[in-house]
Amino acid sequence: MRCPFCRHSDCRVIDSREVDDGKATRRRRSCAECGRRFTTVEEAVLAVVKRSGVTEPFSREKVVRGVQRACQGRPVGEDALQQLAHRVEEAVRASGSAEIPSHEVGLAILGPLKELDEVAYLRFASVYRSFSSIEDFEKEIADLRRPVAGEATELPGRPPRE
């Protein structure tokens, strides 16, 4: 670490603290040459490996832009998109890996998007999974209609069972 004042390359760490719920480390340092103190913030960089092999930093904004296209014309607000991007980033960081394939980012988007808006989910899934026929859409719609284990199924026009 170079001192920002004298550019000397030797400094010592005086204090370290986790910030942003452990996503970054704040270190107080002292230069061995000039004695001045300064603070650094170290954050783990999450990289996304694309199919082509190119690596780029993870971007919440890119997640939001991709999902916005799927949500076009749907009643989904900007706050909901930001929360979805936050959930996706948390899920991707929870893997513990510094590099993650772009395919896994797409998978991390599908779950929260399904909860947010089923039509937007279908749009996103059709592009992400490269739907090639009506049967692909029908299968996905059938999966959406299938009740989740533990949910009670109700018939239209009838009161729910107690």
Side-chain angles (χ1 to χ4, degrees), residues 3-32:
C3 173
F5 307 107
C6 71
R7 306 298 295 156
H8 191 269
S9 62
D10 188 24
C11 67
R12 66 185 183 106
V13 175
I14 298 170
D15 182 38
S16 290
R17 296 181 185 182
E18 285 187 2
V19 291
D20 292 335
D21 297 324
K23 292 180 184 172
T25 303
R26 180 184 170 275
R27 298 192 196 281
R28 190 75 179 139
R29 298 176 181 267
S30 175
C31 177

Side-chain angles (χ1 to χ4, degrees), residues 122 125-126 129-143 145:
L122 272 176
S126 71
R129 293 186 177 150
S130 303
F131 287 6
S132 58
S133 67
I134 292 174
E135 288 79 22
D136 293 335
F137 281 95
E138 289 173 341
K139 181 187 176 306
E140 198 64 42
I141 290 169
D143 288 346
R145 288 185 174 154

Side-chain angles (χ1 to χ4, degrees), residues 43-54:
E43 186 174 20
V45 176
L46 180 61
V48 177
V49 181
K50 301 185 128 201
R51 284 185 215 139
S52 65
V54 174

Side-chain angles (χ1 to χ4, degrees), residues 54-97:
V54 174
T55 302
E56 64 181 43
F58 176 84
S59 168
R60 275 192 197 182
E61 291 75 33
K62 199 165 182 181
V63 170
V64 169
R65 281 194 313 269
V67 175
Q68 268 178 333
R69 282 186 232 122
C71 293
Q72 195 169 359
R74 301 294 304 156
V76 177
E78 184 64 30
D79 287 345
L81 292 176
Q82 291 297 331
Q83 288 176 350
L84 181 138
H86 179 73
R87 287 179 62 191
V88 169
E89 183 176 6
E90 283 183 338
V92 169
R93 285 193 185 275
S95 73
S97 178

